[in-house]
Amino acid sequence: MIRTIDPISRNLDTSCEVCVIGSGAGGAVVAKELAEAGLNVLVLEEGGYYPTSSFSHDPQRMLPRLYRHAGGAIIVGNAPIMYAEGRCVGGSTVINAGICYRTPEAILDHWRDEHGLVELAFEKLVPYFEQVENNLHVMPVPDAIMGEDSLKFKQAAENLRYRYVRVQRNIHACQGTNLCVLGCPTGAKQSTLISYLPAAANYGAQVLANCRANRIVVKNGRAVGVEVSVVDPASQQIRRRALIKAGAVFVCGGALHTPALLFRSGLAKWRSWIGRNLYLHPNLKCVGIFDDQVNSWQGSIQGFQIDEFAEEGIVFGSTFLPPGILALSLPYFGNDSFKLMEYYHHMSVWGALVEDTHAGRVWSLPNKTSLTTYWVDARDQQRFLRAIMLLAKIFFAAGARKVLLPIKNFSEIDREAEVAQIPKLRIRASDLSVFTVHLMGTCRMGADPRTSVIDMDHRFHGLENLFIADASVFPTPVRVNPMLTIMALATRAAQKFVENRKRYLRVT
Ligand SMILES: Cc1cc2nc3c(=O)[nH]c(=O)nc-3n(C[C@H](O)[C@H](O)[C@H](O)COP(=O)(O)OP(=O)(O)OC[C@H]3O[C@@H](n4cnc5c(N)ncnc54)[C@H](O)[C@@H]3O)c2cc1C
């Protein structure tokens, strides 16, 4: 059981040893580790608390509850990019696919060589990966829940002789309902709602849902508290405000909201890298239409990944979109859309995840809100086209009759011969439909305070007791799905904090 406090009826002017802002992949891990070490921990979560029993397959009901902006938000730039992130107790882990990868060694080598992160060598992180994998029950997707779409995907990889891996996911007794993105209705997916937060509560941590951190109060080089407002979940109106005093603060709001909070707290004058260095792992989705029924709604959301092209920054996997969401994302209207969606049970959605090389930015606006911008550069755009070309080829190798592409005015092909045209297309970035669920890197970690925001122990350069542990700390994209990296780093950050707790909490 998670211990939540009703922030509307309770006097919130309270204090704790450590205040953790955000309850997703980073925040929940920190809360559990610190509470287990005996610290008095309070977690602030802007979103609401929705237990597994409240989950349904109805997007209209679940999207506004679990997703920020009900799932539909755009990053501004030359190719407006749709993104999705969680806003609920458990954060994005509640709505993610549960795919777990250790950080590739080559990425950690790069972090060491270019950013001075000598403490994050792969072999030094192995114990933290193992702890998280045990706590999350990470396992290879079993045959019993392998859907027809995954089997077709695997067959294509074999036909093309591409290297592929069986996906590892954080699941326990998964029944293959394929509703991960709307909240797992059986509680099989070990999101932090199911795993880390109940464990944190067992050690005494408390969670304040519907409670938004507005500003970190800093005095004499120390964070001394957090100003919060309590948000009515139905109307989103602010019901009350309070000050929570804290001995130390961990910010874990995710790659867009952690920098926004630091801006609101006046900390940009300390570190100019706040908000810079935003990476997205842009995701290009194609839809394959097969003669036989695929029934993609049955089975694991993803069973295999093709990593033949990982070294050039592209990996492929299957995914699943409920019919309403898929229909919205396709460039067809009226009768055309209706006719196409009649084939829903013959469709499979597969995606390419691209390691981007050009960063975007979160900006602070004068009215204390923030703006996110991202420009796709020519090199990445070419890589996107190559990724789409390879994905179309994979679909045809799986036996697809038609492939719908995320490219304006070149949105469907039904002959494999047309695939070769894709990289030669003369298009603008805005002609591509790009999507992301992997936002990373806006408060990057580094040994040099002039070019980073936090040090190797996740401590804000220049402040004694302010820490960051979430996707914002990555110096670069990680090439693979990021959750396990975030959680392993958060475990390490919290355990380092516990080792030095007297210094950070100024206990004499
Ligand atoms: C649909 C989807 C599928 C995905 N699939 C995978 C996958 O299969 N594998 C994988 O590795 N990754 C996946 N991801 C990405 C992964 O879930 C995220 O990278 C990860 O959860 C980010 O962790 P985080 O701690 O940075 O932020 P989050 O997990 O998003 O948690 C941040 C929390 O902080 C809260 N918050 C923010 N600001 C404030 C504030 N001011 N006050 C209080 N609370 C605040 C937010 O409401 C949120 O709940 C997916 C993401 C999505 C959306």
Side-chain angles (χ1 to χ4, degrees), residues 215-231:
R215 191 170 82 94
I216 300 160
V217 184
V218 176
K219 277 192 187 144
N220 304 324
R222 289 182 67 81
V224 295
V226 182
E227 286 176 3
V228 302
S229 46
V230 177
V231 183

Side-chain angles (χ1 to χ4, degrees), residues 21-27 44-47 67-68 84-88 90-93 95-100 181 211-213 252-255 257 261 264 437-439 469-472 481-484 486:
I21 300 168
S23 64
L44 306 179
E45 171 52 57
E46 186 178 355
Y67 283 69
R68 190 172 291 272
E85 55 179 354
R87 194 196 60 175
C88 56
S92 303
T93 72
I95 51 165
N96 76 15
I99 297 163
C100 294
V181 297
C211 194
R212 178 174 192 257
C252 312
H257 309 288
L261 175 60
R264 291 198 298 274
V437 292
H438 295 174
L439 304 134
D470 59 18
S472 72
N481 311 59
M483 176 175 67
L484 196 63
I486 298 164

Side-chain angles (χ1 to χ4, degrees), residues 90-162:
S92 303
T93 72
V94 175
I95 51 165
N96 76 15
I99 297 163
C100 294
Y101 274 100
R102 293 181 178 189
T103 329
E105 205 164 343
I107 300 287
L108 295 172
D109 289 349
H110 177 77
W111 289 5
R112 179 196 57 214
D113 299 341
E114 297 296 320
H115 300 275
L117 301 182
V118 289
E119 291 301 317
L120 302 191
F122 187 82
E123 62 282 2
K124 290 191 180 178
L125 287 188
V126 166
Y128 303 108
F129 289 135
E130 285 174 353
Q131 289 173 51
V132 176
E133 286 161 353
N134 285 336
N135 288 332
L136 290 186
H137 209 271
V138 175
M139 60 181 287
V141 173
D143 283 341
I145 55 161
M146 212 52 99
E148 183 57 29
D149 54 345
S150 290
L151 297 176
K152 281 194 174 342
F153 184 84
K154 175 169 164 255
Q155 190 59 55
E158 286 171 354
N159 292 348
L160 293 165
R161 297 181 188 278
Y162 286 167

